[in-house]
Amino acid sequence: MRQPFVERLSCARKYYEGGRGLRAPDRETAPGLGVATSERMLGICRGRRKFLAASLSLLCIPAITWIYLFAGSFEDGKPVSLSPLESQAHSPRYTASSQRERESLEVRVREVEEENRALRRQLSLAQGRAPAHRRGNHSKTYSMEEGTGDSENLRAGIVAGNSSECGQQPVVEKCETIHVAIVCAGYNASRDVVTLVKSVLFHRRNPLHFHLIADSIAEQILATLFQTWMVPAVRVDFYNADELKSEVSWIPNKHYSGIYGLMKLVLTKTLPANLERVIVLDTDITFATDIAELWAVFHKFKGQQVLGLVENQSDWYLGNLWKNHRPWPALGRGYNTGVILLLLDKLRKMKWEQMWRLTAERELMGMLSTSLADQDIFNAVIKQNPFLVYQLPCFWNVQLSDHTRSEQCYRDVSDLKVIHWNSPKKLRVKNKHVEFFRNLYLTFLEYDGNLLRRELFGCPSEADVNSENLQKQLSELDEDDLCYEFRRERFTVHRTHLYFLHYEYEPAADSTDVTLVAQLSMDRLQMLEAICKHWEGPISLALYLSDAEAQQFLRYAQGSEVLMSRHNVGYHIVYKEGQFYPVNLLRNVAMKHISTPYMFLSDIDFLPMYGLYEYLRKSVIQLDLANTKKAMIVPAFETLRYRLSFPKSKAELLSMLDMGTLFTFRYHVWTKGHAPTNFAKWRTATTPYRVEWEADFEPYVVVRRDCPEYDRRFVGFGWNKVAHIMELDAQEYEFTVLPNAYMIHMPHAPSFDITKFRSNKQYRICLKTLKEEFQQDMSRRYGFAALKYLTAENNS
């Protein structure tokens, strides 16, 4: 609805008096000038005087008009309505002559409005030539981005963002949900999505609904990530990309994105029928502003405009990049589909599916394949139907490809909003300003995602069962308890990114495969290469890292020939939160995501003997592990030397034991932990032998994948493995020592947690309390059979 004329005049006065370059003396003298004088000044002044005169004239015209209207609004001392109908209803003296006067007055009002608009245009031009420090205050609203509606300003790179309290209000409601669709497939793309989501969450002020078209790998990774991230007012739905392959598999595609690069074409069929609009993003996008600003652009669409796109910022579609370069047809430079605004409801009514299919079939008869996946087909459709497009300003998709012309955009625009790494080289793309854009990307890449778990106050969010259960569990804890932090850690939900690097596993034909399971933090990273050299089988590792450390690990792994040559190692990042090292949570994460029927529960600072992988697979068959509840023990040894000639056989190991180069593990400080292994018997054993559980026993074992998890109440140092072995014994696992297997602990600096255990009395008190509570839980779960654990503890 249009504002009443009086309100518009009032707004104009506030707008142009409120910091548009007028000084106080100018505002004081402005009422003394007439309209005619102002117009003469505009005709003869140059430079700054012209700008000043235009401003003063704009102030005077509303004032004079206001006086004229005010005087004309009274008849015989009584107010008269400007509306002829209202006047007729209330005044018996309404005549044809007064009606003509009113019509004349309204014509004059419209003339004044036209003069105002003309002066505003002149003022805007004058201000554009004025020095930067005289441009006044700038406050942005979501609804004033320049697009197709003002192509001259768009080409000039001008962003209209000035407003006042009387200006247009944002067209995105405070709690309106913004819908975002992303196609994602594979391990690497899943990492890219996380950075994109971080940049969106960092700036957002609205609820978000992500629609992820993902293959089974990406869905597993991202479903776990969002479930453990627990960001308020964020909903995520997944759509099976593998089921959509048949829709686009008939289109030959040379682009590195493969078949998944064509799936944006079928979003009208894939997304819910009641979803009217959606923002579609590539995974290599980084946001530098609130996504609500982009969502607001939907309200600018007119007529049959159903696609919001930024012009392609290269000469690709002009066909002049190299000799015989023959691109798909496009309108001018064409459009880039890294950022798309889709009006789904209108596209469905236009029969979008039929439209793009017919276009693709026709063009493929001559082109044979696409070079830029869905982008080629979108452009071919637009070439035939240009009315479909609303052209977005360039800053909504600053493209950093190898042949980019995006500098023409960001050279003139001060407020870049979306960065698009649309080169296969990504951050290594050749661009003289790449450091600036790379730093923006790295900001979100290494940003602590836990800080994005912030509430949107005033916006009701859907009930989250996991969040509600967590709050209930935490509310039951006593915050005055000296062991409160220990108890709280048991319920902490750590953000988890599964399969951080590419993972491949081919199941063994005989179903005897064994996965080595371990956990580590950044200070044990140097052990990875050595373990990979000693163990050729699959490995599942849980790494406790911050967001920044995760990127350091990525660079370390990508720079290691040993690690990059191994695709059967699953790296699962558990992000840091809280003050304790959640050792048993990490073990559980690594155990849960193995692909083999058996697992070797180890620690990262142990090197298995050469050939242990194959030896364990044979032992699985020999001891019939598939049909019996056995835990095969791998005897543990240690060295105090940082440089060790690793023993290649049991005989060589025994010789090193006799020489004092090796010791049984923790022989000097914690004999009880491995004494039940019976190393004296192991020295001469040639067949597996059974041992009984004893207090504080904590061997390293091979078990079936369905064995019980580790107890999460034990964090940091102390009793984390002991409690697990006790649980195995309570479930009647039989402990069997392997006679020709061994592993050696490599020396390292003491961990932070063992230092706290040794120096902090309260730490030791809390650990003892947790042990007692665990034993009581064992008694409740296993009854009479668990009494031996209490007796053994009292006797130890």
Side-chain angles (χ1 to χ4, degrees), residues 274-311:
N274 61 351
L275 182 59
E276 296 181 355
R277 61 190 64 183
V278 68
I279 297 173
V280 186
L281 302 174
D282 279 356
T283 59
D284 51 4
I285 290 289
T286 305
F287 265 78
T289 192
D290 189 348
I291 196 172
E293 296 182 34
L294 182 57
W295 186 256
V297 178
F298 274 116
H299 295 273
K300 291 177 172 285
F301 283 29
K302 298 176 183 178
Q304 292 181 291
Q305 291 174 336
V306 290
L307 302 170
L309 293 163
V310 172
E311 186 181 46

Side-chain angles (χ1 to χ4, degrees), residues 446-564:
E446 301 185 355
Y447 188 81
D448 185 352
N450 298 328
L451 301 179
L452 298 170
R453 290 171 171 162
R454 53 176 182 259
E455 293 281 350
L456 294 181
F457 294 107
C459 294
S461 57
E462 297 181 9
D464 183 350
V465 176
N466 293 330
S467 181
E468 289 178 352
N469 290 339
L470 175 62
Q471 294 303 320
K472 181 181 179 181
Q473 291 168 336
L474 293 177
S475 66
E476 294 173 354
L477 299 179
D478 181 8
E479 295 188 21
D480 295 327
D481 182 359
L482 294 177
C483 299
Y484 170 78
E485 293 298 334
F486 283 84
R487 301 186 193 283
R488 189 183 190 283
E489 178 58 39
R490 182 179 184 181
F491 303 110
T492 300
V493 178
H494 290 264
R495 186 166 41 103
T496 304
H497 187 137
L498 303 177
Y499 300 105
F500 198 67
L501 296 178
H502 184 78
Y503 178 76
E504 292 180 11
Y505 169 72
E506 290 292 333
D510 57 1
S511 299
T512 62
D513 218 349
V514 183
T515 298
L516 186 150
V517 172
Q519 41 71 38
L520 69 152
S521 54
M522 197 68 181
D523 58 346
R524 299 287 188 270
L525 209 57
Q526 71 279 1
M527 291 295 299
L528 291 181
E529 288 191 352
I531 287 178
C532 286
K533 292 176 181 177
H534 280 249
W535 178 272
E536 61 270 27
I539 303 174
S540 181
L541 299 173
L543 297 87
Y544 192 56
L545 306 172
S546 67
D547 291 76
E549 288 174 340
Q551 298 309 312
Q552 293 177 37
F553 159 69
L554 179 62
R555 291 190 290 270
Y556 170 79
Q558 291 176 338
S560 167
E561 291 184 8
V562 174
L563 300 187
M564 284 296 97

Side-chain angles (χ1 to χ4, degrees), residues 32-234:
L33 297 175
V35 174
T37 304
S38 298
E39 291 175 352
R40 286 195 300 272
M41 291 178 66
L42 283 172
I44 62 174
C45 290
R46 293 290 186 270
R48 190 173 303 172
R49 287 178 297 171
K50 183 176 180 180
F51 167 67
L52 179 59
S55 303
L56 296 177
S57 299
L58 193 58
L59 289 174
C60 293
I61 287 175
I64 293 173
T65 306
W66 175 260
I67 294 170
Y68 179 61
L69 292 176
F70 186 80
S73 300
F74 284 81
E75 188 169 329
D76 295 337
K78 297 180 180 180
V80 178
S81 171
L82 284 177
S83 170
L85 294 176
E86 187 179 351
S87 176
Q88 188 177 20
H90 293 86
S91 175
R93 294 179 294 173
Y94 176 74
T95 64
S97 62
S98 63
Q99 183 179 3
R100 286 194 296 272
E101 290 177 1
R102 289 290 168 224
E103 291 173 351
S104 176
L105 181 59
E106 289 175 357
V107 170
R108 177 56 184 155
V109 167
R110 285 193 291 271
E111 290 175 354
V112 171
E113 288 182 321
E114 290 296 326
E115 292 173 357
N116 270 336
R117 281 193 286 270
L119 283 172
R120 283 194 187 118
R121 285 194 294 270
Q122 294 183 43
L123 182 61
S124 176
L125 292 173
Q127 183 186 6
R129 292 190 294 268
H133 68 277
R134 295 181 60 83
R135 294 195 176 186
N137 299 322
H138 296 259
S139 61
K140 304 188 188 78
T141 66
Y142 298 161
S143 59
M144 299 187 69
E145 312 299 342
E146 292 300 327
T148 306
D150 191 351
S151 58
E152 292 182 0
N153 282 355
L154 174 61
R155 285 193 295 269
I158 298 173
V159 183
N162 299 312
S163 67
S164 69
E165 62 181 359
C166 299
Q168 284 184 296
Q169 295 300 312
V171 293
V172 179
E173 297 294 334
K174 177 182 178 182
C175 295
E176 181 179 350
T177 299
I178 295 172
H179 294 266
V180 181
I182 304 170
V183 179
C184 177
Y187 302 98
N188 296 337
S190 300
R191 282 202 313 272
D192 295 335
V193 166
V194 177
T195 308
L196 163 59
V197 170
K198 279 185 183 179
S199 70
V200 173
L201 291 177
F202 182 84
H203 296 99
R204 66 104 179 215
R205 296 192 295 274
N206 286 73
L208 297 171
H209 188 164
F210 289 101
H211 302 267
L212 301 180
I213 297 84
D215 66 350
S216 57
I217 294 170
E219 181 172 352
Q220 180 188 16
I221 295 170
L222 295 174
T224 302
L225 178 70
F226 279 104
Q227 183 181 357
T228 55
W229 204 341
M230 301 178 68
V231 182
V234 170

Side-chain angles (χ1 to χ4, degrees), residues 451-737:
L451 301 179
L452 298 170
R453 290 171 171 162
R454 53 176 182 259
E455 293 281 350
L456 294 181
F457 294 107
C459 294
S461 57
E462 297 181 9
D464 183 350
V465 176
N466 293 330
S467 181
E468 289 178 352
N469 290 339
L470 175 62
Q471 294 303 320
K472 181 181 179 181
Q473 291 168 336
L474 293 177
S475 66
E476 294 173 354
L477 299 179
D478 181 8
E479 295 188 21
D480 295 327
D481 182 359
L482 294 177
C483 299
Y484 170 78
E485 293 298 334
F486 283 84
R487 301 186 193 283
R488 189 183 190 283
E489 178 58 39
R490 182 179 184 181
F491 303 110
T492 300
V493 178
H494 290 264
R495 186 166 41 103
T496 304
H497 187 137
L498 303 177
Y499 300 105
F500 198 67
L501 296 178
H502 184 78
Y503 178 76
E504 292 180 11
Y505 169 72
E506 290 292 333
D510 57 1
S511 299
T512 62
D513 218 349
V514 183
T515 298
L516 186 150
V517 172
Q519 41 71 38
L520 69 152
S521 54
M522 197 68 181
D523 58 346
R524 299 287 188 270
L525 209 57
Q526 71 279 1
M527 291 295 299
L528 291 181
E529 288 191 352
I531 287 178
C532 286
K533 292 176 181 177
H534 280 249
W535 178 272
E536 61 270 27
I539 303 174
S540 181
L541 299 173
L543 297 87
Y544 192 56
L545 306 172
S546 67
D547 291 76
E549 288 174 340
Q551 298 309 312
Q552 293 177 37
F553 159 69
L554 179 62
R555 291 190 290 270
Y556 170 79
Q558 291 176 338
S560 167
E561 291 184 8
V562 174
L563 300 187
M564 284 296 97
S565 65
R566 292 288 298 272
H567 300 298
N568 62 347
V569 181
Y571 301 96
H572 313 297
I573 307 296
V574 177
Y575 287 100
K576 286 184 175 180
E577 185 172 359
Q579 59 176 304
F580 295 105
Y581 184 77
V583 57
N584 279 356
L585 167 67
L586 297 172
R587 288 182 172 128
N588 291 341
V589 168
M591 285 170 54
K592 187 176 180 180
H593 297 98
I594 66 170
S595 306
T596 60
Y598 307 100
M599 52 188 177
F600 172 31
L601 304 180
S602 182
D603 272 339
I604 197 65
D605 40 15
F606 277 89
L607 290 181
M609 73 175 199
Y610 291 109
L612 181 62
Y613 170 62
E614 290 297 336
Y615 177 74
L616 292 181
R617 293 182 62 180
K618 293 176 182 177
S619 300
V620 162
I621 299 173
Q622 180 184 357
L623 296 175
D624 192 21
L625 222 62
N627 302 307
T628 58
K629 295 180 74 172
K630 285 189 175 71
M632 301 189 305
I633 296 175
V634 177
F637 300 87
E638 70 175 341
T639 180
L640 302 180
R641 300 181 180 184
Y642 282 86
R643 291 188 177 183
L644 176 71
S645 177
F646 201 90
K648 295 179 176 58
S649 64
K650 179 177 179 178
E652 190 174 336
L653 180 138
L654 292 175
S655 175
M656 297 174 74
L657 274 174
D658 295 336
M659 294 173 57
T661 306
L662 294 178
F663 306 92
T664 56
F665 186 54
R666 289 290 183 260
Y667 171 78
H668 301 91
V669 294
W670 186 246
T671 307
K672 294 190 295 182
H674 293 265
T677 301
N678 194 346
F679 289 99
K681 184 174 183 178
W682 181 83
R683 292 178 69 102
T684 57
T686 56
T687 59
Y689 60 92
R690 182 176 178 179
V691 296
E692 298 297 326
W693 175 89
E694 294 180 20
D696 298 319
F697 192 26
E698 52 176 4
Y700 293 95
V701 297
V702 178
V703 290
R704 293 199 308 252
R705 64 176 300 164
D706 61 353
C707 85
E709 290 187 336
Y710 287 83
D711 195 294
R712 279 197 60 187
R713 84 186 75 198
F714 297 106
V715 295
F717 177 81
W719 249 61
N720 45 74
K721 291 193 299 292
V722 171
H724 187 247
I725 294 300
M726 186 182 292
E727 182 104 26
L728 293 181
D729 183 67
Q731 292 193 14
E732 299 181 343
Y733 273 74
E734 179 182 311
F735 297 104
T736 302
V737 180

Side-chain angles (χ1 to χ4, degrees), residues 232-339:
V234 170
R235 177 179 169 182
V236 182
D237 284 330
F238 290 89
Y239 307 83
N240 193 335
D242 295 327
E243 294 179 356
L244 301 175
K245 286 182 178 180
S246 60
E247 299 282 344
V248 292
S249 59
W250 57 275
I251 304 174
N253 179 29
K254 294 180 179 179
H255 194 256
Y256 62 85
S257 59
I259 193 171
Y260 299 100
L262 298 163
M263 290 188 177
K264 283 184 280 188
L265 294 166
V266 297
L267 290 182
T268 52
K269 288 182 61 176
T270 307
L271 299 178
N274 61 351
L275 182 59
E276 296 181 355
R277 61 190 64 183
V278 68
I279 297 173
V280 186
L281 302 174
D282 279 356
T283 59
D284 51 4
I285 290 289
T286 305
F287 265 78
T289 192
D290 189 348
I291 196 172
E293 296 182 34
L294 182 57
W295 186 256
V297 178
F298 274 116
H299 295 273
K300 291 177 172 285
F301 283 29
K302 298 176 183 178
Q304 292 181 291
Q305 291 174 336
V306 290
L307 302 170
L309 293 163
V310 172
E311 186 181 46
N312 200 45
Q313 293 165 5
S314 78
D315 291 342
W316 177 272
Y317 286 108
L318 298 181
N320 58 9
L321 292 183
W322 58 80
K323 188 178 180 180
N324 299 326
H325 175 214
R326 185 168 169 243
W328 276 55
L331 198 64
R333 293 190 180 279
Y335 294 91
N336 185 276
T337 56
V339 177

